[in-house]
Amino acid sequence: MNIILIFFIAISLSMDAFSLSLAYGTNNILKKDINLLSVIVGIYHFVMPILGMLIGKFIECIIHFKSDYITLVIFAFIGFNMIIESFKNETDVKSLKLSEMILFGFAVSIDSFSVGIGINSISNNFLICSLIFSFTSFTFTYVGLILGNKLNKLIGKFATLIGGISLIILGIFFAK
């Protein structure tokens, strides 16, 4: 098992979670929601490679679609909601809905599913790989959300507007 390679893969899988968390964190999210969302993303990054390994090839043969389009729809949905929120005159800390967190976690972990398809070529210990992916994505998500909250305190609603637009652009970018 090449542990350095696994960490590089974990970091690359976590970069989208970080960038989207940075944008999403501009919503002035409650601390408990930051923790829960980070845990959800970590759980997804643990489960998705395993699911990819177990059923990925089967699904790929049956259903021919680009998972990038699912990511585009989810990011656009979240992004448009953030843009709408940026025009509201609320300064309260926002509580996230569990459904938003689950969609967010799913959207940033789709790439982990595809890595799971070929995880056996990287390592024969897929549980260690999944644990590393999980911990790394949890950490990157948490840091991104905290930095996004700090950015919101610095430049306010403008940060939320920029975050929403960024999510939509990233969704379009992933769908190419």
Side-chain angles (χ1 to χ4, degrees), residues 35-45 98 101-102 105-106:
N35 293 336
L36 182 57
L37 183 55
S38 300
V39 167
I40 287 171
V41 170
I43 290 170
Y44 266 116
H45 275 83
L98 184 60
M101 291 185 208
I102 290 171
F106 179 75

Side-chain angles (χ1 to χ4, degrees), residues 143-159:
V143 170
L145 290 168
I146 294 294
L147 290 175
N149 259 353
K150 301 249 186 256
L151 188 61
N152 183 38
K153 287 177 180 49
L154 264 154
I155 58 177
K157 290 293 182 181
F158 189 65

Side-chain angles (χ1 to χ4, degrees), residues 11-77:
I11 289 169
S12 68
L13 290 174
S14 300
M15 291 309 292
D16 59 340
F18 174 76
S19 61
L20 296 171
S21 295
L22 188 61
Y24 209 54
T26 61
N27 276 331
N28 201 20
I29 300 171
L30 290 170
K31 178 73 170 164
K32 71 176 182 68
D33 289 342
I34 289 173
N35 293 336
L36 182 57
L37 183 55
S38 300
V39 167
I40 287 171
V41 170
I43 290 170
Y44 266 116
H45 275 83
F46 178 79
V47 172
M48 292 299 268
I50 294 171
L51 285 176
M53 185 194 71
L54 296 174
I55 61 175
K57 294 280 186 192
F58 178 72
I59 289 175
E60 196 173 76
C61 292
I62 293 173
I63 303 171
H64 300 286
F65 68 90
K66 284 186 72 173
S67 62
D68 300 339
Y69 293 127
I70 295 172
T71 304
L72 168 64
V73 170
I74 292 170
F75 287 176
F77 176 76

Side-chain angles (χ1 to χ4, degrees), residues 123-169:
S123 171
N124 55 1
N125 195 337
F126 62 90
L127 286 176
I128 298 264
C129 292
S130 289
L131 281 171
I132 292 170
F133 297 165
S134 176
F135 177 76
T136 305
S137 64
F138 165 84
T139 304
F140 276 57
T141 302
Y142 183 82
V143 170
L145 290 168
I146 294 294
L147 290 175
N149 259 353
K150 301 249 186 256
L151 188 61
N152 183 38
K153 287 177 180 49
L154 264 154
I155 58 177
K157 290 293 182 181
F158 189 65
T160 304
L161 179 64
I162 292 171
I165 292 169
S166 299
L167 281 176
I168 293 168
I169 291 170

